[in-house]
Amino acid sequence: MMQHRAADNVEKLRLGVTDYLWRDGQLQDVRGRPVPLRAKSLSMFAVLLAERGQVLSKDRLSDLVWPGSVATDESIARCISDIRKVLNDDTHKIVQTFPKQGYRLHVAEVPGDDPAPPRPGRFAIVGLAGLFAIAASVFGWMILDSGGDEVAVASQPILREAVAILPLEAKDEADRFLAAGLSDDLEIHLAEISGIKMISQTQSSAIAATSENTIEMARSLGARYLVHGSVRNSGDEIALSLRLINGSDGATLWADRYEGSRSGLMGFRDTLPDALVEAMSIELNARDRRRLAMQDTADPIAFEEVLHARRELGKFTYEGSLAAERHLRRAIARDPDYARAYADLAAAFAIRMENDWIVISSADTDKGFFFAERALELDPDLWFAHYAMGRLHSVAEGGDIEAAFSHLREAMALQPANDDPRVYFAIARALSGRLEEAAAIFESVMATHPQPPFWYHLGQANVLFHQKRYKEAERVMSSCLKQMPNSPYCLRIQIAILARLGRLEDAAWMLEEYAILGHDTTLDGLMKSAIETDPALWAHLRQSYELAGIE
C-alpha cells in the first residue's frame, strides 16, 4: 500500500478512485476543502489510516477511538457509516468489512504528482476554493473545451442576474492558497456593487465538484455569469488567467491574463471589478462608481496578511481566531488605512463573543468596537464594517440592540444584493424575542438560495427551535451539519433540539462530539455561549439542555 507525501508534508491519499489530502489531522479534497466528517468519525478515520492495511477489531477501535470507555456496536457502526458516506463508498471497497474480525481501510497507490489530464469536453477543475469562496481568478492555462460546454439545452431555465466564482485551478499548496484568497477578494469587491448578486462559495464549490460543464453549473446555481480561471505562482512571479462565461450558452464574454511580480498583481487586481462590471453591462449608481474607484490597499504584503487571516477565521476555532488577529494586526501595521482589515478584525472579535472565546470580556469588547469604529472612520460606506458593528452590538455584554439593528439596516441598504446582513438582522431580531418577524425574513431569503451557506440554516433552525417547531428545526439543522459537522454553533443547537424531540441518545452523541472538539459540556459552560438576549428564549434553551441530562 503506497502513498505519496508531498514536499509540504501533506499526504496524498487515493481512496477508491478519488484523491484526497491528509493535512494536520484533517481529511481534505484535492482543492484543500475539509471533507465534512464529525469529530468522532474523523478520529476513527485517523485510526484506520494510521493502521492502513490492517484489520482492526471492534474492541481495538473502541480502545483507540473511545479511550477510557467502551463503545457500543451502534456507535462504531455509525462512525463507519459516516466515513463511507463522505467517501461515496457504497460498495465498501474503501472501508472494508471482515465479518467477525473488524474493519480495514484500503488506500490505493497514488501514481504521481501531476494531476490527471482532463477528459475531453470537461472543465478540469483542479483547485482549492478552500475557505474562501467565490473565486474566479484563474492562473495558468484555461482548460475549457467548447465541445462540451456549448451543448443545446431543450428547456433553458431562467438564470438570475447573479455571479458565481468557480474554484480556481491551482497545482500545489502555495497556488491553492493564493487562488482561494484571490477568489475571496474578488467576491468581496464585486459584492460591493449594489446591483450584483453573488452566489456563495459553498454553492459554487459544491456544484463545480459535480457538474459536467459550465452550462450545467450555471443552471444548477441559477447564475447567468460564471467566473473561472487558474493561478500559477513561482517565487515572486505570478501568472493569473480569468474568464467571464455566459451561463446561458457557455460563451466567453471577457478574458484577461496577468504575468508578473506580486507587487504588479495588485494593480491588475484593482482593474478586475471594473472590467467584469463592464462585460456584464451592469448599470452603476453614483455610490457604485465611488466604490469601484476606491483602492483598499496598495501593499501586497498587507493584502496577503488579510488573505491568511480570512483562511484562519474560516476554521471557526479559537486558535484560528487568534492567528487571524495576528495576521490582521500585521496588515494594519503595514497599512494603517486598510479599512477592510479593521472590519475583519472587528468581526473576529464578534465571533469570539458568540462562542465565549474570550478571556477578559470588557477588554475584548472594547477592542472589537474600536476596530469597527476605525473601519467606519476610514470608509463610512463599507457595508462589512456596519455588518461587523451590528454583530458586535448583538452579542457584546452591554451592547445596544437598537444600534445593532441600525447598523445592520445600513449594511442592507449599502449592499441590497447581499443577503448576509439581512440574515444576521433576522438572527438579531430572533435573539431579542421577535421570532415571527425573523421567521418571515428567513423564509424569504431561503427561497432564493438553492444551497444556502451553513449559518443561514443555523439561524433559521434556531428560530424554529424557539418557536417550538422542533421537527422542522431538526430538518433544517441537518442541512447545517452536512456543511459544517464540527461547528460549535450547530452542535449546541442540535443538542437542544434533539432533547426536545425526546431523542436523548442522539443528544448524548452530539454532546460527545462537542466535547471531542474541546468545548465545555457543563450546563453553565453551554449557557455561557448562549447569545439569546430575551429572558424567555434563554430559559427555553437552558431547560432543553437540562432535558438532555446536562448538569
Side-chain angles (χ1 to χ4, degrees):
M1 301 300 164
M2 299 289 292
Q3 64 280 339
H4 174 78
R5 289 187 181 277
D8 57 3
N9 292 323
V10 177
E11 184 175 1
K12 296 181 181 179
L13 306 171
R14 176 155 294 178
L15 303 172
V17 296
T18 305
D19 290 340
Y20 295 88
L21 305 175
W22 181 249
R23 177 189 286 113
D24 298 328
Q26 291 290 326
L27 184 65
Q28 302 176 354
D29 65 15
V30 291
R31 299 182 184 91
R33 299 175 302 178
V35 173
L37 270 174
R38 293 182 294 187
K40 184 65 75 176
S41 302
L42 182 62
S43 297
M44 181 170 287
F45 179 84
V47 167
L48 291 168
L49 181 63
E51 302 288 338
R52 68 195 77 183
Q54 301 298 315
V55 178
L56 299 182
S57 68
K58 290 182 178 180
D59 288 343
R60 181 64 174 154
L61 288 171
S62 178
D63 290 341
L64 294 173
V65 183
W66 285 266
S69 62
V70 178
T72 65
D73 287 353
E74 181 184 355
S75 295
I76 293 173
R78 186 182 302 202
C79 289
I80 293 293
S81 177
D82 284 349
I83 296 168
R84 285 171 170 162
K85 184 176 181 180
V86 300
L87 298 179
N88 296 313
D89 184 24
D90 296 335
T91 58
H92 302 179
K93 291 181 179 179
I94 301 172
V95 182
Q96 301 168 331
T97 300
F98 291 81
K100 299 183 180 180
Q101 296 182 58
Y103 301 96
R104 181 178 73 182
L105 181 69
H106 175 69
V107 181
E109 182 176 352
V110 179
D113 290 337
D114 294 330
R119 293 172 293 170
R122 299 288 187 264
F123 250 133
I125 302 173
V126 186
L128 161 74
L131 300 162
F132 304 106
I134 308 171
S137 335
V138 189
F139 284 65
W141 304 100
M142 288 292 302
I143 309 175
L144 177 61
D145 193 277
S146 61
D149 286 337
E150 301 188 18
V151 177
V153 181
S155 57
Q156 182 77 317
I158 297 175
L159 301 178
R160 293 177 292 169
E161 293 294 310
V163 183
I165 303 177
L166 303 176
L168 305 185
E169 296 176 18
K171 182 177 180 181
D172 57 26
E173 176 64 13
D175 290 352
R176 284 193 291 268
F177 166 74
L178 188 57
L182 288 168
S183 298
D184 183 53
D185 183 69
L186 181 59
E187 175 197 12
I188 287 170
H189 282 84
L190 288 176
E192 289 289 320
I193 309 305
S194 61
I196 293 181
K197 176 81 171 180
M198 298 300 301
I199 304 296
S200 75
Q201 166 196 1
T202 303
Q203 295 177 58
S204 57
S205 298
I207 295 300
T210 58
S211 293
E212 293 292 319
N213 55 51
T214 50
I215 294 177
E216 290 181 4
M217 293 181 202
R219 293 175 63 188
S220 298
L221 292 166
R224 180 178 175 187
Y225 302 105
L226 303 177
V227 183
H228 186 55
S230 65
V231 66
R232 186 175 301 159
N233 173 22
S234 177
D236 190 50
E237 294 297 308
I238 292 175
L240 167 64
S241 298
L242 285 177
R243 182 176 295 187
L244 179 68
I245 302 164
N246 187 333
S248 299
D249 56 14
T252 297
L253 300 174
W254 167 92
D256 204 350
R257 180 177 177 84
Y258 171 81
E259 293 187 19
S261 66
R262 286 178 176 271
S263 57
L265 175 65
M266 298 299 290
F268 179 74
R269 156 192 176 256
D270 290 338
T271 68
L272 293 177
D274 256 321
L276 289 167
V277 165
E278 182 177 353
M280 291 183 285
S281 302
I282 294 174
E283 293 186 12
L284 301 179
N285 57 32
R287 178 192 166 276
D288 289 339
R289 286 191 288 271
R290 288 197 305 272
R291 299 306 301 175
L292 279 176
M294 290 183 66
Q295 181 185 59
D296 54 1
T297 185
D299 189 318
I301 297 178
F303 173 65
E304 288 199 26
E305 292 287 1
V306 169
L307 299 189
H308 281 290
R310 290 171 185 159
R311 186 174 193 174
E312 293 293 339
L313 284 174
K315 296 177 180 178
F316 293 100
T317 64
Y318 177 56
E319 293 74 16
S321 171
L322 293 177
E325 181 182 354
R326 291 192 292 271
H327 285 297
L328 290 167
R329 286 185 180 275
R330 287 198 286 266
I332 290 168
R334 292 193 62 90
D335 184 352
D337 295 331
Y338 199 166
R340 182 71 197 212
Y342 286 102
D344 283 352
L345 196 45
F349 277 92
I351 292 171
R352 288 186 197 173
M353 293 173 195
E354 290 165 357
N355 285 280
D356 194 38
W357 295 338
I358 53 177
V359 179
I360 303 175
S361 177
S362 59
D364 278 0
T365 298
D366 291 344
K367 290 176 187 176
F369 280 111
F370 170 79
F371 294 127
E373 288 165 1
R374 179 61 178 147
L376 288 171
E377 287 174 9
L378 292 167
D379 187 353
D381 286 341
L382 181 60
W383 78 268
F384 192 80
H386 286 283
Y387 171 79
M389 182 68 87
R391 200 163 171 176
L392 284 166
H393 272 298
S394 299
V395 298
E397 186 175 344
D400 184 339
I401 192 64
E402 292 304 322
F405 296 146
S406 176
H407 280 286
L408 291 169
R409 287 191 185 97
E410 183 66 16
M412 287 188 280
L414 290 169
Q415 188 48 43
N418 189 327
D419 282 327
D420 286 1
R422 185 171 294 104
V423 167
Y424 205 89
F425 180 81
I427 291 171
R429 300 299 267 189
L431 296 177
S432 62
R434 304 172 202 189
L435 296 175
E436 295 302 323
E437 181 183 349
I441 295 172
F442 271 111
E443 287 179 13
S444 173
V445 169
M446 301 297 264
T448 66
H449 285 79
Q451 294 176 313
F454 87 96
W455 66 280
Y456 285 28
H457 293 295
L458 171 68
Q460 185 180 35
N462 197 37
V463 171
L464 293 168
F465 164 72
H466 283 303
Q467 288 183 313
K468 302 182 180 180
R469 297 159 64 182
Y470 302 125
K471 288 184 178 180
E472 294 173 72
E474 197 276 333
R475 176 181 54 77
V476 173
M477 184 54 68
S478 66
S479 297
C480 176
L481 287 166
K482 284 179 183 177
Q483 293 184 35
M484 293 290 289
N486 296 322
S487 163
Y489 302 84
C490 301
L491 290 171
R492 285 195 298 266
I493 297 178
Q494 183 73 326
I495 291 166
I497 293 170
L498 293 171
R500 289 290 181 175
L501 289 171
R503 294 166 53 184
L504 300 185
E505 185 175 334
D506 288 335
W509 171 274
M510 286 292 171
L511 188 65
E512 185 178 359
E513 294 281 308
Y514 192 70
I516 291 169
L517 296 170
H519 303 300
D520 187 348
T521 57
T522 66
L523 182 59
D524 287 344
L526 287 166
M527 291 309 300
K528 281 179 68 178
S529 300
I531 57 176
E532 281 80 356
T533 55
D534 180 79
L537 301 188
W538 193 90
H540 178 230
L541 180 62
R542 183 183 179 91
Q543 290 164 5
S544 301
Y545 290 142
E546 290 173 341
L547 286 174
I550 300 171
E551 300 177 350

